[in-house]
């Protein structure tokens, strides 16, 4: 990809942007690689994109190069802001740079238009928390998310029932969107290299009416069931059932499941039925 800006290594050296471990900083400096990642967002000519954790801006440049109508950056580490402002100058009117925390920002307050996409090489320590935040958003405001995770986390997001990585993260994610790994990235592609491989996950919200919206209930029953994954539902769901007026067996039967089954054999629809049963057996507040 060609853009009017200097190589990222020069930008990093000029602004003295050594990676900080505490902020989970591992940079992608190969603009061909970041261009490939940005391409998974599809046509962005009418999109407002948001990127959390742009760092020195490798993915940022690729998103703008791919033609996003507008891009908002959310970066917590103020050291990067001058380098990011230089990118803004090269793409007049198309980039907004915010010094803010991705965990607390209200994305819809800083974005406009109908077509909103998320792209991010997420800091590993906050990646899944941000994912859950975006899954819980109601109404769902994003058309697509293209996100980098540790390979092991990416496997847990896309796992089908029966897979050893299948669990709470797969069930919560796939209850809201389709999820696929579109690219694997070796550790050496980053500066400095992390200890593990990464993968890019593409997430598209399911159509209205197909998304499961009570993620609090789903989170509770999956946490209980997979907290003791070797036990049968009869045993492992006792904790979730204790928060309701129903017995564990009643909850399981209401969901149409077998008390002797184990969590890893229950498909996503089964867990959604369990979440619905849990919710209806919750004592109503007076
Ligand atoms: N996207 C850049 C790249 O691909 O080269 C940098 C990726 S680096 C793994 C993660 C970036 O996220 C860092 O710039 C870090 O400062 C930033 N970051 C960490 N926690 C954050 C948070 N809670 N909100 C916003 N940015 C954060």
């Amino acid at each position: 990809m060609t853009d009017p800006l200097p190589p990222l290594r020069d930008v990093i050296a000029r602004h003295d942007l050594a990676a900080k471990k505490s902020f989970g900083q591992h940079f992608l400096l190969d603009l061909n690689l970041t261009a490939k990642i940005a391409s998974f967002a599809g046509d962005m000519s009418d999109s407002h994109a948001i990127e959390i954790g742009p760092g020195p801006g490798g993915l940022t440049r690729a998103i703008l190069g791919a033609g996003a109508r507008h891009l908002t950056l959310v970066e917590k580490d103020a050291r990067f802001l001058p380098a990011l402002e230089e990118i803004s100058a090269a793409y007049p009117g198309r980039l907004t740079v915010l010094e803010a925390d991705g965990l607390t920002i209200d994305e819809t307050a800083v974005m406009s238009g109908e077509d909103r996409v998320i792209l991010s090489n997420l800091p590993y320590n906050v990646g899944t928390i941000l994912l859950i935040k975006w899954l819980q958003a109601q109404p769902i405001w994003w058309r697509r998310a293209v996100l980098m995770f540790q390979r092991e986390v990416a496997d847990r997001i896309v796992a089908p029932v029966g897979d050893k990585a299948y669990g709470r993260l797969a069930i919560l994610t796939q209850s809201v969107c389709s999820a696929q790994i579109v690219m694997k990235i070796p550790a050496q592609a980053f500066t400095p290299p992390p200890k593990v491989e990464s993968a890019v996950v593409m997430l598209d919200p399911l159509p209205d009416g197909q998304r499961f919206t009570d993620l609090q209930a789903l989170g509770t029953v999956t946490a209980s069931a997979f907290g003791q994954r070797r036990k049968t539902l009869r045993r492992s769901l006792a904790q979730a059932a204790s928060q309701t007026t129903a017995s564990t067996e009643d909850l399981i039967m209401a969901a149409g499941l077998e008390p002797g089954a184990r969590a890893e054999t229950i498909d996503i629809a089964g867990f959604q039925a369990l979440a619905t049963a849990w919710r209806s057996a919750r004592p109503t507040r007076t």
Side-chain angles (χ1 to χ4, degrees):
M1 189 189 76
T2 51
D3 70 15
L5 292 154
L8 276 164
R9 282 188 197 283
D10 295 357
V11 174
I12 289 172
R14 188 157 41 83
H15 291 279
D16 196 15
L17 298 174
K20 266 196 203 162
K21 244 189 170 174
S22 59
F23 275 12
Q25 292 174 350
H26 301 278
F27 307 136
L28 284 172
L29 306 185
D30 177 349
L31 295 177
N32 291 312
L33 190 63
T34 56
K36 174 112 197 272
I37 297 169
S39 74
F40 291 116
D43 179 3
M44 288 190 281
S45 54
D46 202 24
S47 310
H48 192 143
I50 192 164
E51 183 191 355
I52 312 296
L59 184 57
T60 308
R61 287 161 63 160
I63 298 167
L64 290 165
R69 175 177 61 78
H70 199 89
L71 171 61
T72 295
L73 303 177
V74 179
E75 175 57 62
K76 199 171 152 180
D77 185 346
R79 295 181 307 144
F80 292 108
L81 301 192
L84 296 170
E85 290 297 350
E86 284 176 9
I87 305 178
S88 188
Y91 291 94
R94 289 177 56 202
L95 187 64
T96 304
V97 184
L98 302 177
E99 181 189 348
D101 187 333
L103 293 173
T104 51
I105 194 153
D106 175 359
E107 296 88 346
T108 54
V110 297
M111 298 176 85
S112 62
E114 294 287 298
D115 189 63
R116 290 176 284 201
V117 293
I118 309 170
L119 293 105
S120 198
N121 170 12
L122 296 165
Y124 289 150
N125 50 351
V126 295
T128 42
I129 308 175
L130 279 170
L131 172 62
I132 301 286
K133 177 189 175 195
W134 294 326
L135 295 174
Q136 279 175 330
Q138 282 187 40
I140 202 134
W141 53 264
W142 44 278
R143 165 179 66 84
R144 175 167 291 176
V146 177
L147 311 175
M148 177 108 63
F149 290 97
Q150 275 172 261
R151 174 71 197 281
E152 173 266 331
V153 175
D155 286 341
R156 288 200 279 125
I157 291 170
V158 304
V161 62
D163 191 285
K164 68 177 185 333
Y166 179 72
R168 189 162 183 261
L169 199 53
I171 294 162
L172 290 175
T173 307
Q174 295 169 41
S175 288
V176 176
C177 45
S178 66
Q180 54 173 316
I181 291 180
V182 288
M183 197 177 172
K184 291 172 191 161
I185 304 192
Q188 307 83 276
F190 297 86
T191 306
K195 292 206 174 66
V196 292
E197 254 190 33
S198 295
V200 179
V201 178
M202 186 169 96
L203 303 157
D204 286 348
L206 299 170
D208 288 345
Q210 287 180 34
R211 286 194 301 278
F212 190 80
T213 50
D214 192 350
L215 291 200
Q216 194 213 352
L218 198 55
T220 302
V221 294
T222 51
S224 188
F226 285 97
Q228 308 183 54
R229 65 191 299 150
R230 302 209 171 277
K231 293 193 176 162
T232 61
L233 294 183
R234 186 184 285 115
R235 305 276 299 277
S236 64
L237 282 173
Q239 197 199 349
S242 71
Q243 301 166 11
T244 72
T245 53
S247 69
T248 313
E249 298 253 340
D250 284 349
L251 270 190
I252 298 168
M253 302 306 256
L257 302 173
E258 284 293 326
R262 285 186 172 75
E264 67 228 29
T265 66
I266 308 297
D267 66 10
I268 292 178
F271 274 106
Q272 292 176 350
L274 208 44
T276 304
W278 180 88
R279 177 61 70 195
S280 6
R282 288 281 280 170
T284 42
R285 282 193 208 141
T286 49

